[in-house]
């Protein structure tokens, strides 16, 4: 249908200001969502990096022979929650303490006996790092014969879990608010553009145009604006990302949105434009004062 | 072609605009609607193009019952009509040519036939040089003639014209009226609201006269009765 | 009151709409503007209310030189005019009363005097019962009369009326014309564009006739010349 | 001037949908700014809490008499960057180590001599915690006779400074983007509302209304919409804050925006509405096709 495309193009060229503004508004609101997504993705990644450090340490009885320690490690490896078990001998524990705790270095140098015990460092599988699971694993490790004591930084694990909960809640609230903003803006701009043309729609109906004939260019226009807005938002988000990445010295290398998210954003913009048009046109096709 | 039977009509905010109006118009007839300002002429036309529904009574047009016309059938009715509105109702951001062409597209005419047809009707109303002008660039009479051209364009079986010569000088009025006559002669029924007493008198067509929403005279029925 | 001297006028997109038009209108005169559709009647009025500027020549109205009228002086000129537009130009979301009242507020009338004045002019045009109606709820002729009432409301020294009876029946036309006459008798100058040949002939006022933008007849000048 | 207020109210009641949408759009964009402000304020506070911990520790020579240590502390207190100096004796250092480092508790219990030195803990004034200043202070402390070694967690200080820089940069970019969004939306809605009424404006000019007469109600309306939008945004921000505060168990007690920020937000909204109206009306008062 040639006329539909022509009408849609005319819609843009006849009101360049309004069209530009619509696209801009859509773009900026999706940009807002994009920025939020960017923050969310990177926060998520940072938290995951922290969680990698959740570890349970089982201190062994002083003088445990290496064979017994290895058996205990074997045992721990059979736990379904456990990803990896590393044996740390008393000597390497001392070496590590001297390297890490500089102010004690000198003090340790004077010691005649090594005060540190050997230990098993137990890393847990992703998804098995919540306080309950960690505590359960620690309890079972305590049951192993050569294990004297188990430590896993209860506070650290619980704090991390709480941080995650808060981040999820804040993220949910803010994300929802931003999605709301985007929706309101898109609906507003399209509604206004339509109010603008309600006279045109009314006249077309008077000369016998069907609803489909009237609606088609608006729908195409809405979808196109949504698509353009989505693409623009993507570019803006990328630019913001590039700017920040350039400025940071990458403590944790910042990550861009995953491709699926990007595709969903642009497709969502298009769909949103289409839907908003559909809803708005639907109402306007039946104005009170038809005449 | 048209049948009004005991039709009352009230606007949402307002008293009865039409009271117990009954008349018929046969295929091919040319009928004048006259009456004082606010008598109800435009209201009758509005019922004919299904812009309003009757509050009581029956309205039939071109085979459609307006009383219970479904919304999706409204376009089908309007495609069989040509309408000249009292206030023109031109699309402001389209040229004269585009206004006419869009109406043809809306009624589903083959795209390749449209440009020739647009030129033809615009020159029929004496506007062949003004096709590229926007309504705001046209004089009042020129806008009125664009509205007439649009109504004629799809060769409708029934033409409704509301005060189509209100902004035209004597010569243009005569020319437009002759055009409507020719169209009528070719088989189109015409209902024309007009307060141009001289025109109505001279033309000597059947005339329906309204007064405060009531049909107070129907020269056709008189003629029929006189013949009887 | 009005002086046109060798005035040409061209619209941005379009040829000359007025060519070398010269005439004067004295205070208290009643002048008809006639001519075919598109002759330039509305264009002359548009110059008078400073809606356009002349391309050449001089236009003076009510003591203002339109040629180089500053933007901030335009409202001052318009407050001295009453204008009936060919297409009415009513505010669509205001009732008839509010349309008239707002025009009075805009010209700075004392707020307590406005309601009475509004009622008066609306009843003068026969619309005392329609004050609360919105334009879309009025018939074509009723809208036109609201436009006339608005133009009369602030008792202007000069009234410009563009086809003010185009949508009125014979009786209403006569009533409105009588009203304009009364106002003229009370000292207001009137310039009225009209294609109602019968009305113009009968009234027998001074008539300026335009043809394709040129002034081809001025019965006033003829009369003056005949007298000389 | 009675009519101005009446016209302004009419502007609202005649187009309730459009007015509601304008106010909503303004509110949501300012809400976006508010949320961002909230995050910024709390991040700022969290960083400040972390920075409080920046501390320089000067280890004293073994066997330094308490009087000499006190003199050294006096000396350090004269540094302009220094807020406070605390003397930690060798005994209390050992007690603290036993309390804080649980896994070494047992080991220390066996020790016959205290391996830890006494120290001076030097806290710096706010604003004097950047890497350069901290390093300079450390250098000067080294010059004091009884001081054997000075440590100040170079990496921690440098990391914090970097974090602050990144946060500032990200904040600036995102904040600017959001302010831009707000501006575009406000301008768009007001522009569209005006396009809507361009016919009305043109007609008013035709009947002799001055620019002031035409403009006044629009300006009042714009300011009012801005004010309402700002207030609504404040409520929304507060609601979001309350929601998040309720959900968190207050690791760091979340803080609401400072009153000055709130007042500036509402006033800014009002001003923005006014300005946007002013600009938009200004252009519309002189349409191309006056006639
Ligand atoms: N939408 C409406 N709501 C309420 N009343 C209306 C509406 N439209 C028209 N009217 C009233 O109905 C009556 C008839 O109006 P109509 O337009 O049919 O008159 P008309 O004969 O065409 O007059 P004119 O010659 O002035 O155009 C008038 O009194 C008018 O005020
Ligand atoms: N804005 C415009 N741009 C270009 N041409 C215009 C414009 N307005 C009017 N014209 C042209 O100028 C000529 C004179 O127009 P004008 O409106 O003065 O005619 P008129 O005498 O009032 O006619 P009518 O009786 O039909 O109202 C017409 O040919 C018209 O097409
Ligand atoms: Mg009518
Ligand atoms: Mg004219």
């Amino acid at each position: 249908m040639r006329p539909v495309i022509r009408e849609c193009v005319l819609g843009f060229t006849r009101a360049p200001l309004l069209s530009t503004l619509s696209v801009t508004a859509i773009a900026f609101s999706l940009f807002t969502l994009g920025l939020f997504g960017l923050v969310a993705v990177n926060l998520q990644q940072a938290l995951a990096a922290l969680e990698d450090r959740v570890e349970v340490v089982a201190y062994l009885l002083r003088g445990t022979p290496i064979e017994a320690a290895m058996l205990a490690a074997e045992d721990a490896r059979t736990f379904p929650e456990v990803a990896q078990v590393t044996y740390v001998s008393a000597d390497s524990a001392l070496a590590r303490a001297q390297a890490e705790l500089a102010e004690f270095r000198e003090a340790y140098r004077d010691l005649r006996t090594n005060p540190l015990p050997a230990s098993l460092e137990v890393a847990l599988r992703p998804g098995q790092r919540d306080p309950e699971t960690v505590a359960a694993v620690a309890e079972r490790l305590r049951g192993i014969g050569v294990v004297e004591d188990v430590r896993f930084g209860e506070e650290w694990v619980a704090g991390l879990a709480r941080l995650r909960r808060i981040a999820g809640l804040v993220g949910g609230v803010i994300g929802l608010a931003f999605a709301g903003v985007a929706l309101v803006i898109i609906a507003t701009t399209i509604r206004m553009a339509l109010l603008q043309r309600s006279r045109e729609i009314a006249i077309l109906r008077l000369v016998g145009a069907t609803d489909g004939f009237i609606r088609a260019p608006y729908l195409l226009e809405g979808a196109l604006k949504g698509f353009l807005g989505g693409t623009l938002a993507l570019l803006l988000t990328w630019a913001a990302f590039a700017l920040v990445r350039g400025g940071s010295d990458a403590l944790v290398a910042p990550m861009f949105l995953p491709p699926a998210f990007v595709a969903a954003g642009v497709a969502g913009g298009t769909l949103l434009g289409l839907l908003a048009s559909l809803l708005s046109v639907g109402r306007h096709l039946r104005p009170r004062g038809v005449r | 072609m048209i049948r009004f039977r005991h039709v009352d009509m009230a606007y949402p905010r307002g008293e009865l605009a039409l009271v117990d109006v009954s008349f018929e118009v046969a295929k091919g007839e040319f009928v004048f609607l006259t009456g004082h300002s606010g008598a109800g002429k435009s209201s009758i036309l509005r019922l004919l193009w299904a812009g309003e529904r009757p509050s009581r009574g029956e309205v039939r047009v071109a085979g459609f019952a307006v009383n219970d016309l479904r919304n999706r059938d409204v376009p089908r009715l309007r495609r069989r009509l040509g309408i000249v509105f009292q206030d023109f109702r031109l699309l402001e951001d389209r040229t004269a040519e585009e206004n006419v062409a869009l109406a043809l597209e809306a009624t589903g005419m083959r795209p390749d036939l449209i440009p020739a047809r647009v030129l033809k009707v615009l020159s029929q109303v004496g506007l062949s040089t003004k096709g590229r002008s926007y309504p705001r660039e046209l004089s009042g009479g020129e806008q009125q003639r664009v509205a007439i051209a649009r109504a004629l364009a799809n060769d409708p079986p029934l033409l409704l014209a509301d005060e189509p010569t209100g902004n035209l000088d004597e010569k243009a009025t005569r020319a437009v009226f002759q055009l409507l006559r020719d169209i009528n002669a070719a088989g189109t029924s015409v209902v024309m609201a007009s307060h141009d007493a001289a025109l109505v008198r001279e033309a000597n067509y059947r005339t329906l006269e309204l007064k405060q929403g009531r049909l107070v005279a129907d020269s056709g029925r008189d003629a029929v009765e006189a013949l009887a």
Side-chain angles (χ1 to χ4, degrees), chain A, chain B:
Chain A
M1 239 181 142
R2 283 264 297 299
V4 174
I5 292 168
R6 187 200 61 202
E7 288 299 309
C8 166
V9 171
L10 276 182
F12 270 85
T13 54
R14 284 254 162 75
L17 179 72
L18 207 66
S19 299
T20 311
L21 287 177
S22 297
V23 172
T24 313
I26 294 177
F28 269 97
S29 46
L30 288 176
F31 175 42
T32 304
L33 272 178
L35 283 180
F36 177 70
L38 216 49
V39 171
V41 161
N42 283 289
L43 191 69
Q44 190 62 34
Q45 213 202 2
L47 282 182
L50 281 179
E51 275 202 343
D52 277 353
R53 301 203 197 152
V54 168
E55 205 180 51
V56 180
V57 182
Y59 294 101
L60 303 183
L61 288 171
R62 203 156 296 226
T64 303
I66 181 121
E67 295 77 18
M70 283 305 166
L71 276 176
E74 242 3 279
D75 208 357
R77 276 195 197 96
T78 61
F79 293 8
E81 301 90 345
V82 169
Q84 200 188 330
V85 179
T86 314
Y87 170 68
V88 179
S89 70
D91 290 345
S92 47
L94 181 61
R96 213 204 264 170
Q98 284 176 338
E100 282 182 5
L101 302 161
E103 54 273 65
F104 297 101
R105 201 172 300 160
E106 208 174 328
Y108 281 117
R109 216 182 294 138
D110 298 344
L111 295 174
R112 266 144 305 170
T113 58
N114 180 357
L116 299 178
S119 63
L120 295 178
E121 290 179 0
V122 179
L124 298 178
R125 290 185 196 283
Q128 305 285 357
R129 292 158 180 163
D130 53 292
E132 292 71 34
T133 313
V134 174
V137 169
E139 204 45 58
R140 266 183 285 156
L141 285 173
R142 263 189 204 102
I144 299 178
V146 294
V147 170
E148 184 185 15
D149 195 8
V150 179
R151 315 222 144 250
F152 58 90
E154 286 90 340
E155 284 171 26
W156 168 247
V157 168
L160 205 60
R162 197 163 53 204
L163 192 62
R164 202 160 232 250
R165 229 174 29 243
I166 295 176
L169 195 73
V170 173
V173 170
I174 299 187
L176 253 149
F178 285 165
V181 174
L183 251 164
V184 168
I185 294 170
I186 294 176
T188 308
T189 50
I190 293 189
R191 170 63 47 93
M192 290 205 212
L194 270 160
L195 273 174
Q196 191 67 12
R197 296 198 213 154
S198 55
R199 213 183 96 89
E200 170 152 342
I201 293 180
I203 292 174
L204 281 175
R205 300 198 77 217
L206 290 180
V207 299
T210 58
D211 289 358
F213 181 88
I214 296 172
R215 212 179 257 140
Y218 287 99
L219 298 190
L220 194 60
E221 202 180 317
L224 198 59
K225 279 180 183 167
F227 176 75
L228 288 179
T231 310
L232 193 56
L234 179 59
L235 291 179
L236 285 172
T237 311
W238 175 261
F241 172 71
L243 210 65
V244 171
R245 188 180 48 179
S248 89
D249 317 289
L251 275 173
V252 179
M255 227 173 78
F256 194 61
L257 302 169
F261 194 106
V262 167
V266 175
T270 311
L271 210 68
L272 223 54
L274 191 70
L275 270 177
S277 300
L278 199 63
L279 288 173
S280 308
V281 176
R283 288 215 204 154
H284 263 277
L285 281 179
R286 308 254 168 262
R288 287 158 307 166
V290 190
R291 298 182 38 174
Chain B
M1 189 49 105
I2 297 176
R3 185 164 67 204
F4 266 58
R5 268 212 203 144
H6 302 296
V7 172
D8 286 1
M9 182 191 124
Y11 287 103
R13 261 170 50 103
E15 310 98 79
L16 281 188
L18 293 176
V19 184
D20 195 26
V21 174
S22 301
F23 66 93
E24 296 195 11
V25 176
K27 206 163 160 358
E29 249 188 306
F30 194 124
V31 178
F32 274 115
L33 270 180
T34 64
H36 62 87
S37 170
K41 303 181 291 295
S42 300
S43 302
I44 284 191
L45 296 178
R46 224 167 263 146
L47 283 172
L48 290 174
W49 49 264
E52 296 283 348
R53 306 294 163 100
S55 333
R56 205 173 62 83
E58 187 194 348
V59 174
R60 292 191 65 86
V61 192
F64 292 86
V66 172
N67 293 60
D68 34 40
L69 195 63
R70 280 168 306 178
N71 274 330
R72 11 171 299 230
D73 287 334
V74 170
R76 287 182 51 225
L77 164 60
R78 292 194 183 153
R79 283 162 186 225
R80 311 211 62 210
L81 306 177
I83 320 177
V84 184
F85 298 95
Q86 195 169 3
D87 52 359
F88 317 157
R89 312 230 175 152
L90 299 175
L91 295 169
E92 276 165 14
D93 54 1
R94 316 250 173 184
T95 63
E97 276 174 4
E98 288 168 350
N99 263 282
V100 178
L102 197 63
L104 289 175
E105 278 166 14
T107 56
M109 186 182 264
R110 267 176 52 197
D112 52 327
L113 300 179
I114 290 179
R117 182 76 191 144
V118 169
L119 271 185
K120 172 125 186 278
V121 288
L122 279 180
S123 62
Q124 276 182 327
V125 296
L127 285 183
S128 38
T129 62
K130 296 280 181 183
R132 297 279 156 81
S133 298
Y134 290 93
R136 67 171 174 281
E137 298 168 350
L138 293 172
S139 80
E142 287 162 352
Q143 290 178 34
Q144 187 154 47
R145 284 178 280 161
V146 175
I148 295 168
R150 182 179 63 185
L152 299 179
N154 69 333
D155 225 339
L158 174 58
L159 185 78
L160 306 176
D162 199 348
E163 220 77 270
T165 60
N167 282 275
L168 298 181
D169 58 289
E170 221 161 330
K171 211 175 121 218
T173 297
R174 257 155 238 296
V176 162
F177 186 53
Q178 188 55 50
L179 186 58
L180 296 185
R181 262 177 139 121
D182 294 348
I183 286 163
N184 177 242
T188 293
S189 314
V190 178
V191 178
M192 171 169 165
S194 178
H195 55 65
D196 188 336
L199 185 74
V200 173
R201 232 176 288 123
E202 272 175 48
N204 201 22
Y205 279 133
R206 177 179 168 198
T207 305
L208 304 176
E209 191 185 339
L210 291 166
K211 200 167 186 174
Q212 303 202 328
R214 288 172 194 280
L215 192 61
V216 294
D218 181 346
S219 66
R221 198 162 52 196
D222 298 350
V224 171
E225 281 163 10
L227 277 178

